[in-house]
Amino acid sequence: MLSNGPGDPADCVDIIPEIRKLYESGLPVFAVCLGHQLMALATGAKSHKMRFGHRGGNHPVKDLKRNRCFITSQNHGYVIEEESIDPAVAEISHVNVNDGTLEGLRYLQKPVFTVQFHPEASPGPVDTDYLFQEFIDQIAEYKKGVMGNA
């Protein structure tokens, strides 16, 4: 689990190569907020400072796979640039309904997914609990694979 934190993700130069190693390991990863941004940078994407950040507990985010909108809590001033995502690496999974910015990625070759918002903040209050269940399911699948190969 990669969690949230403050500041410009591009300033985190020491941790980005370590997150790349984590990505390459094949371990299941769920990343939130700054963790989402760092995973994107570790896989070649770019970020930029937003003119106005996303702050507060009432931001609508659309899950593109489920075609559903959820109310989310957010607190960030940087965003991943959609056009910098390598389509062979990840696909956009969530978008901000208010301004269309990228809110989540699903990685195609690894059991990794990320969201920009804070599902743990529960503004819905349980709208995005499914993300935690998905992560638990990925861990169980990973464990089956490891135990089955032993």
Side-chain angles (χ1 to χ4, degrees), residues 56-131:
N58 60 350
H59 288 265
V61 169
K62 184 175 184 181
D63 180 322
L64 300 176
K65 180 179 175 184
R66 288 168 179 78
N67 197 29
R68 290 192 59 202
C69 190
F70 302 100
I71 300 303
T72 68
S73 177
Q74 303 206 14
N75 187 22
H76 64 96
Y78 292 84
V79 66
I80 296 301
E81 298 173 5
E82 183 176 335
E83 61 279 0
S84 72
I85 301 298
D86 181 343
V89 173
E91 65 184 7
I92 296 169
S93 60
H94 295 78
V95 294
N96 188 291
V97 176
N98 288 334
D99 63 11
T101 55
L102 190 154
E103 289 281 348
L105 292 168
R106 186 159 307 283
Y107 290 78
L108 303 174
Q109 307 301 321
K110 305 289 183 181
V112 175
F113 66 100
T114 67
V115 293
Q116 178 63 72
F117 55 90
H118 293 270
E120 78 283 3
S122 303
V126 293
D127 285 5
T128 56
D129 280 359
Y130 73 95
L131 295 169

Side-chain angles (χ1 to χ4, degrees), residues 30-62:
F30 177 25
V32 172
C33 197
L34 181 64
H36 154 79
Q37 295 168 351
L38 293 174
M39 181 61 74
L41 294 179
T43 56
K46 295 181 177 146
S47 64
H48 71 263
K49 185 169 180 53
M50 302 172 78
R51 184 170 180 196
F52 302 104
H54 292 164
R55 315 263 185 240
N58 60 350
H59 288 265
V61 169
K62 184 175 184 181

Side-chain angles (χ1 to χ4, degrees), residues 1-2 18-31 39 107 109-114 135 137-143 146:
M1 183 94 200
L2 299 178
E18 299 305 314
I19 291 174
R20 178 67 191 199
K21 290 178 192 173
L22 181 61
Y23 169 79
E24 291 173 353
S25 76
L27 289 169
V29 176
F30 177 25
M39 181 61 74
Y107 290 78
Q109 307 301 321
K110 305 289 183 181
V112 175
F113 66 100
T114 67
F135 185 48
D137 293 346
Q138 279 186 336
I139 293 169
E141 284 298 312
Y142 177 81
K143 287 172 77 175
V146 171

